[in-house]
Amino acid sequence: MADVIDIDDPADPRLDDFRDLNSSDRRPDLPDGKGLVIAEGVLVVQRMLASRFEPISLLGVDRRLGELADDLAGVEVPFYRTSAEVMAEVVGFHLNRGVLAAAHRPPALDLDDVLNGARTVAVLEGVNDHENIGSMFRNAAGLGVDAVLFGDRCADPMYRRAVRVSMGHVLRVPFARVPEWPYGLQRLQDKGFQLISLTPNPSAVTLAEAMTGEKVALLLGAEGPGLSEHTMRRTDVRARIPMAPGTDSLNVATAAAMAFYERVRLAG
Amino acid sequence: MADVIDIDDPADPRLDDFRDLNSSDRRPDLPDGKGLVIAEGVLVVQRMLASRFEPISLLGVDRRLGELADDLAGVEVPFYRTSAEVMAEVVGFHLNRGVLAAAHRPPALDLDDVLNGARTVAVLEGVNDHENIGSMFRNAAGLGVDAVLFGDRCADPMYRRAVRVSMGHVLRVPFARVPEWPYGLQRLQDKGFQLISLTPNPSAVTLAEAMTGEKVALLLGAEGPGLSEHTMRRTDVRARIPMAPGTDSLNVATAAAMAFYERVRLAG
């Protein structure tokens, strides 16, 4: 069971891993700072406890400690128990989920390890919005996508907001960086993945027509710019996301979900 | 051209239609209060100007006035020109889009009028999150869904956040209330719509199998509870959203997007 420690003083330095969560230059989950990963709320904390992200401490109110009792059995880390008011003062805003866990960033996964056994992966380029990254992981988990791979210019998937929007699936769905972007895509091809660029271009083939590989990598760019031409040239096929004429592109996580859905549908 | 009026005083009562936008009990777009509809940003204001929602006034910085010059030709309403600082003081927070438009709520559309000519409609029950409502409208516009219909317990689609998340498509995609929910669904059946309940239940048929009607109504409930059984009983078929075992349900707007996608795909 976690070691329960009552704390009343918001200035207590033992709470520093949870301090100023909304601060753009001091937050503890800045990759160049403390580099922690923060889970919020009972469900996401449970997912962290069951993941390769091992918490170093928790902060929460008594009620949440009770709800997590089973999950914390055998977990030897401090649970700092306090009031909602002290929590708000520490993190810098009112946090209605009542519990947080902090973990160190685990070593990055190796691309080859992530690809072994995978049949469907998403590959992102320039997706620089944390909420879109989070949604993408949630959709990946919900639709059986095996991994998420990152090319250049993507937002940090381990930022608290991405973790929260993903419902904790950032902690579960494996992810890795594709080195030497976009040339490193060759490593996916070497492993037998069909590389499919998603584009709103109406001259591209449909998703259903494009998706012929036994193993499939779905490449997605940010809303607006989309994938770079340089990257698209390195893929096997360009597939279009259906869209009504005269509308904007769909949200990138929504476009991804449709491609994930098509993959599930075709796999029967 | 709009009548440009310079205002320096944030207390000027002519700006009251834009005051305290984040206030839960005073905001001007409360349906039981002033009942205004607020558009934010150049793109959404342009969509409002081209819609049945006629602005009564605009508030913005000079640069946005310039960007909207063509759209405002022939529009006889005041444009209150001011600084970003005064705008922030009026609305109650820093608004980085630099322009707002306020419109009265137009009369509700008649259900029969909305259904005439429509081939695909979404029908919502208990979707009480403004961002999900907004996303749903964006996805409806992007994937050629003709209308959004509301059953019981849904959030107000005309709230500023829903309008913003929809990228202004709340102002364009027709919507109407289904009266006497859920019995009023009969009116859709009378017009030849096949009613399809979306459910995570694995014993339901697939979306592709379910979607056989020439006219289709896709019924969606909130994440978590989903559609009520009472409502599902009144539909023609239950279709499942594919999901990996052991994951939560997908976001309701994402589930809707997959159904809209399937409709586009089957229609070829």
Side-chain angles (χ1 to χ4, degrees), chain A residues 179-190:
Chain A
E180 296 175 70
W181 184 260
Y183 308 103
L185 286 169
Q186 184 63 47
R187 290 170 64 175
L188 279 71
Q189 277 164 323
D190 291 346

Side-chain angles (χ1 to χ4, degrees), chain A residues 66-117:
Chain A
E67 290 169 8
L68 286 164
D70 289 349
D71 307 280
L72 289 170
V75 176
E76 299 300 330
V77 296
F79 186 108
Y80 299 117
R81 180 166 58 184
T82 190
S83 65
E85 293 69 33
V86 170
M87 273 188 85
E89 209 163 322
V90 173
V91 304
F93 56 94
H94 179 71
L95 189 104
N96 56 18
R97 289 164 200 255
V99 67
L100 295 162
H104 286 301
R105 286 176 188 235
L109 298 176
D110 180 75
L111 178 59
D112 288 333
D113 290 343
V114 167
L115 292 175
N116 284 339

Side-chain angles (χ1 to χ4, degrees), chain B residues 186-254:
Chain B
Q186 184 63 47
R187 289 169 66 174
L188 278 71
Q189 277 164 322
D190 291 346
K191 288 198 175 273
F193 280 86
Q194 181 197 21
L195 304 189
I196 303 176
S197 293
L198 271 70
T199 168
N201 191 329
S203 68
V205 302
T206 67
L207 273 169
E209 287 163 340
M211 227 178 268
T212 56
E214 179 150 343
K215 298 189 202 175
V216 162
L218 299 160
L219 281 85
L220 292 133
E223 281 170 62
L227 289 167
S228 67
E229 180 60 30
H230 192 50
T231 295
M232 284 208 273
R233 286 217 188 107
R234 307 197 68 83
T235 64
D236 299 305
V237 60
R238 301 179 191 204
R240 70 179 141 92
I241 297 289
M243 259 176 34
T247 60
D248 338 276
S249 64
L250 292 156
N251 168 281
V252 63
T254 304

